[in-house]
Amino acid sequence: MRAHLTFILAGLLTTLHAEAAEPPTVWLHVKPLLCVLDDDATACSVIFDISWRSTQAAEYCLNDEAQPAPLLCWPSALSGEYRHARQVTQDFVFWLSPPAGAERAAQAKVEVLRVGSPDRRRQRRSRHVWDVL
Amino acid sequence: MVAGCVLAPFACAQSGQGGGVSGSPAQDAAPTAHAVSAQPEEKSWRFGVALGYGRRTNPLIQSQEIPVVVDIDFAWFGERWFFDNFDLGFELFDHPRCTTNIVARLNSDLVCFGKTNTRYVNFSIGANGTQGAVATPPGTDSSVPLELKVPHRDFAVELGVETWLDGSWGQATLRAFHDASSTHDGYEISADYSYRWHRGRFVLAPSLGAAYKSARLNDYYWGVHADEVRPTLQGYRVDAGIGLQAGVRATYYLTKSVRLALSANYERLPDSVASSPIVARPYVAGYFGGLAWQF
């Protein structure tokens, strides 16, 4: 019995020690991650559903590459959710970071794809019946 | 306008009408970032691969359907010169509403002649597979199987002009090509229209087209010439004619460079081509579904 308790305590201490030493794992989920634009459009109007969770409670701030200040900060939380409306014209990154830190705990890249091209020569591949691209 | 694009490039170039890219106002309710920015410069090279499954019918007798498991897109675009999947072109002028190019290309009719078989038939079976279509010539033993072979055809290099027009109404293309390799000495004039419908990640693009091919072009590929007449193959001269084409492409973008692609095309051959003894089906139909990467 005593040996068992010692083993369990040792295991807990090892786990706590490991948690203190290693940075927490943070997941950032953003939807949608792709904006598809026609060649005559300049921007997508998107409402992003953003959520995150971490293995360790801490203060995290959500950042948008286009804005100097964080969009929102959560005090000592394990997870968070946020909806963010935005006009998108080019690729950019959302990321999660400690309030004062420059490091990024997690990030998600939003991409912009333009279908078609202002250069009409790039749209000319359609005369062959078997072409699919 | 079309005449202006085709016949008066300089007038077109100086007309200075609105640009090809038009803006939409940013919505006030949404936080705006990068609201106005120039489109990123496109790469000179374009390389894409589609893997999947598809088939394309072959209208020739004794031919096999052409399986499509991979489609490769390879192109380069310079300031005015371009290479686009074996088409070599030079941009004559570019206008906000239209672009006109000079293009050298390979005739696409030849593709059908790549997968054909030689067949040995009993003489009472004609070239198009119908029994008794060919009369037994004097001195021929009808019980001996004779060779029925699709005639050989060469590729032709065609030189021509193409004009692309687009607007909110869709996109249209006008083309006129003439043989520059003395293979068939004929010409082709074609027009097609397509419209791109876009919702979220999904893009649907139906198209319609018509092509007039001259008698010389049609006859070279689809006729049975005097030196090709055999007991199994009657001579046949093909006239000029109009072929019609319809197609649809559906695309669902998974990421910026990967997409699901689905396409289907149907081409109705000109009547005079469809009546040729070496043509078994009066149409070409093709479909493909797969995953496409653009690098």
Side-chain angles (χ1 to χ4, degrees), chain B residues 240-266:
Chain B
I242 296 175
L244 302 172
Q245 186 175 318
V248 64
R249 293 177 194 212
T251 304
Y252 184 82
Y253 289 92
L254 298 171
T255 70
K256 198 171 181 176
S257 54
V258 181
R259 63 192 191 271
L260 290 168
L262 197 66
S263 73
N265 284 75
Y266 179 86

Side-chain angles (χ1 to χ4, degrees), chain A residues 46-63:
Chain A
V46 185
I47 298 174
F48 291 100
D49 285 316
I50 304 164
S51 61
W52 65 270
R53 64 188 175 89
S54 172
T55 53
Q56 189 177 325
E59 186 172 359
Y60 289 108
C61 291
L62 176 67
N63 298 271

